[in-house]
Amino acid sequence: MSDLKELYKEVILDHNRNPRNCYIMDCATRTADGHNPLCGDTVKVYLRIEDGIIEEISFQGHGCAICTASTSLMTESVRGKTVEEAQGLFDEFHLMLTGVAEEQGIEMGKLMVFEGVREYPVRVKCATLAWHTLHAAMEEKKENVSTE
Ligand code: FES
Protein backbone atom coordinates (compact mmCIF):
# COMPACT_ATOMS: atom_id res chain seq x y z
CA MET A 1 0.00 0.00 0.00
CA SER A 2 1.39 3.44 -0.92
CA ASP A 3 2.13 5.98 1.81
CA LEU A 4 -0.74 8.17 0.60
CA LYS A 5 -3.26 5.32 0.69
CA GLU A 6 -2.02 4.38 4.14
CA LEU A 7 -2.48 7.98 5.29
CA TYR A 8 -6.01 8.10 3.83
CA LYS A 9 -6.85 4.86 5.61
CA GLU A 10 -5.56 6.24 8.90
CA VAL A 11 -7.68 9.40 8.55
CA ILE A 12 -10.79 7.31 7.87
CA LEU A 13 -10.08 5.04 10.84
CA ASP A 14 -9.46 8.04 13.10
CA HIS A 15 -12.76 9.70 12.14
CA ASN A 16 -14.56 6.38 12.62
CA ARG A 17 -13.07 5.88 16.07
CA ASN A 18 -13.52 9.50 17.15
CA PRO A 19 -16.26 11.02 15.01
CA ARG A 20 -16.33 14.82 15.15
CA ASN A 21 -19.55 16.72 15.82
CA CYS A 22 -21.42 13.56 16.84
CA TYR A 23 -24.20 14.73 19.15
CA ILE A 24 -27.87 15.60 19.23
CA MET A 25 -28.33 19.32 18.64
CA ASP A 26 -31.27 20.69 20.64
CA CYS A 27 -31.23 24.08 18.90
CA ALA A 28 -31.16 22.73 15.30
CA THR A 29 -33.07 24.82 12.79
CA ARG A 30 -33.15 21.95 10.27
CA THR A 31 -32.74 18.18 10.42
CA ALA A 32 -32.97 15.25 8.02
CA ASP A 33 -32.86 11.47 8.29
CA GLY A 34 -30.91 9.32 5.86
CA HIS A 35 -31.07 5.59 5.33
CA ASN A 36 -29.08 3.07 3.33
CA PRO A 37 -31.54 0.26 2.58
CA LEU A 38 -28.74 -2.05 1.44
CA CYS A 39 -27.46 -2.40 5.01
CA GLY A 40 -30.05 -0.67 7.20
CA ASP A 41 -27.62 1.99 8.39
CA THR A 42 -29.00 5.41 9.28
CA VAL A 43 -27.74 8.92 9.87
CA LYS A 44 -29.51 12.00 11.18
CA VAL A 45 -28.03 15.41 10.37
CA TYR A 46 -28.69 18.50 12.50
CA LEU A 47 -28.07 22.01 11.20
CA ARG A 48 -28.19 25.42 12.80
CA ILE A 49 -28.34 27.86 9.93
CA GLU A 50 -28.28 31.60 10.56
CA ASP A 51 -28.31 34.17 7.76
CA GLY A 52 -27.62 31.45 5.22
CA ILE A 53 -24.50 30.21 7.05
CA ILE A 54 -24.11 26.77 8.62
CA GLU A 55 -23.10 27.94 12.08
CA GLU A 56 -23.33 24.47 13.61
CA ILE A 57 -23.70 20.94 12.28
CA SER A 58 -23.86 17.62 14.06
CA PHE A 59 -25.04 14.07 13.47
CA GLN A 60 -26.12 10.85 15.10
CA GLY A 61 -26.39 7.45 13.52
CA HIS A 62 -25.29 3.91 13.01
CA GLY A 63 -23.05 3.20 10.07
CA CYS A 64 -19.99 1.40 8.85
CA ALA A 65 -16.52 2.94 9.16
CA ILE A 66 -16.72 4.65 5.75
CA CYS A 67 -20.16 6.08 6.51
CA THR A 68 -19.20 7.34 9.98
CA ALA A 69 -15.89 8.82 8.80
CA SER A 70 -17.56 10.43 5.79
CA THR A 71 -20.23 12.00 7.98
CA SER A 72 -17.64 13.24 10.46
CA LEU A 73 -15.46 14.80 7.74
CA MET A 74 -18.52 16.24 6.02
CA THR A 75 -19.49 18.10 9.20
CA GLU A 76 -15.99 19.56 9.48
CA SER A 77 -15.98 20.54 5.81
CA VAL A 78 -19.24 22.47 5.73
CA ARG A 79 -19.29 24.15 9.15
CA GLY A 80 -18.99 27.90 8.69
CA LYS A 81 -19.86 27.71 4.99
CA THR A 82 -22.90 29.18 3.31
CA VAL A 83 -25.65 26.81 2.19
CA GLU A 84 -24.60 27.47 -1.42
CA GLU A 85 -20.97 26.64 -0.67
CA ALA A 86 -22.00 23.42 1.09
CA GLN A 87 -24.16 22.52 -1.89
CA GLY A 88 -21.16 23.12 -4.17
CA LEU A 89 -19.03 20.83 -2.03
CA PHE A 90 -21.74 18.16 -2.20
CA ASP A 91 -21.65 18.40 -6.01
CA GLU A 92 -17.84 18.20 -6.05
CA PHE A 93 -17.86 15.21 -3.73
CA HIS A 94 -20.06 13.43 -6.29
CA LEU A 95 -17.70 14.44 -9.08
CA MET A 96 -14.79 13.03 -7.11
CA LEU A 97 -16.56 9.68 -6.70
CA THR A 98 -17.14 9.48 -10.44
CA GLY A 99 -13.57 10.48 -11.31
CA VAL A 100 -14.64 13.74 -12.93
CA ALA A 101 -13.17 15.99 -10.23
CA GLU A 102 -9.70 14.61 -10.93
CA GLU A 103 -10.11 15.21 -14.68
CA GLN A 104 -11.21 18.78 -14.00
CA GLY A 105 -8.46 19.41 -11.43
CA ILE A 106 -10.93 20.09 -8.62
CA GLU A 107 -9.20 20.20 -5.23
CA MET A 108 -11.07 18.27 -2.54
CA GLY A 109 -8.78 18.89 0.44
CA LYS A 110 -9.16 16.33 3.19
CA LEU A 111 -12.21 14.83 1.48
CA MET A 112 -9.67 13.27 -0.91
CA VAL A 113 -9.39 10.38 1.56
CA PHE A 114 -12.57 8.96 -0.01
CA GLU A 115 -11.28 9.08 -3.57
CA GLY A 116 -10.47 5.35 -3.61
CA VAL A 117 -14.03 4.47 -2.64
CA ARG A 118 -15.14 4.94 -6.25
CA GLU A 119 -13.61 1.57 -7.09
CA TYR A 120 -16.27 -0.05 -4.88
CA PRO A 121 -19.79 0.97 -6.01
CA VAL A 122 -21.48 -0.38 -2.87
CA ARG A 123 -19.14 1.69 -0.71
CA VAL A 124 -19.96 4.84 -2.69
CA LYS A 125 -23.38 4.71 -1.03
CA CYS A 126 -21.70 4.51 2.38
CA ALA A 127 -19.62 7.60 1.60
CA THR A 128 -22.49 9.63 0.17
CA LEU A 129 -25.27 8.87 2.68
CA ALA A 130 -24.26 11.80 4.90
CA TRP A 131 -24.09 14.18 1.95
CA HIS A 132 -27.53 13.20 0.65
CA THR A 133 -28.86 13.72 4.16
CA LEU A 134 -27.16 17.10 4.45
CA HIS A 135 -28.66 18.07 1.09
CA ALA A 136 -32.15 17.11 2.31
CA ALA A 137 -31.69 19.10 5.52
CA MET A 138 -30.55 22.17 3.58
CA GLU A 139 -33.53 21.79 1.22
CA GLU A 140 -35.85 21.25 4.21
CA LYS A 141 -37.15 17.98 2.74
CA LYS A 142 -39.42 16.17 5.15
CA GLU A 143 -39.27 12.61 3.80
CA ASN A 144 -36.46 10.24 4.74
CA VAL A 145 -33.51 10.20 2.36
CA SER A 146 -32.44 6.93 0.78
CA THR A 147 -29.28 6.04 -1.10
CA GLU A 148 -31.39 3.89 -3.48
FE1 FES B 1 -24.09 0.59 5.79
FE2 FES B 1 -21.81 1.38 4.85
S1 FES B 1 -22.42 -0.68 5.18
S2 FES B 1 -23.54 2.60 5.28
Side-chain angles (χ1 to χ4, degrees):
M1 191 182 285
S2 72
D3 287 352
L4 194 57
K5 278 191 175 169
E6 186 61 37
L7 175 69
Y8 286 177
K9 189 175 140 204
E10 277 307 312
V11 172
I12 290 171
L13 290 176
D14 173 48
H15 276 266
N16 177 50
R17 277 192 297 259
N18 301 299
R20 320 308 195 257
N21 304 306
C22 184
Y23 58 89
I24 295 169
M25 193 194 304
D26 293 330
C27 58
T29 55
R30 299 183 201 176
T31 64
D33 293 289
H35 174 232
N36 182 348
L38 286 180
C39 59
D41 288 339
T42 58
V43 63
K44 184 178 189 89
V45 169
Y46 302 83
L47 296 174
R48 182 167 60 82
I49 297 177
E50 290 175 11
D51 298 327
I53 295 172
I54 300 172
E55 296 287 355
E56 189 177 357
I57 176 168
S58 69
F59 77 99
Q60 287 269 283
H62 302 281
C64 63
I66 301 259
C67 176
T68 302
S70 180
T71 313
S72 174
L73 275 155
M74 184 252 325
T75 63
E76 287 199 322
S77 299
V78 303
R79 191 180 52 210
K81 291 202 163 34
T82 65
V83 169
E84 289 73 25
E85 287 168 340
Q87 181 62 45
L89 212 47
F90 169 71
D91 295 337
E92 288 177 355
F93 193 72
H94 265 287
L95 291 177
M96 180 181 74
L97 292 178
T98 52
V100 178
E102 192 177 10
E103 287 168 18
Q104 296 185 356
I106 297 172
E107 268 297 320
M108 294 304 297
K110 57 190 169 186
L111 295 174
M112 280 297 291
V113 298
F114 297 104
E115 190 186 26
V117 167
R118 69 169 180 248
E119 290 165 33
Y120 310 94
V122 171
R123 297 312 234 163
V124 168
K125 295 181 191 302
C126 304
T128 55
L129 176 60
W131 288 92
H132 286 294
T133 312
L134 167 69
H135 177 72
M138 292 192 300
E139 299 267 302
E140 298 189 79
K141 290 190 176 148
K142 297 288 176 230
E143 67 275 11
N144 278 13
V145 185
S146 169
T147 52
E148 292 303 297

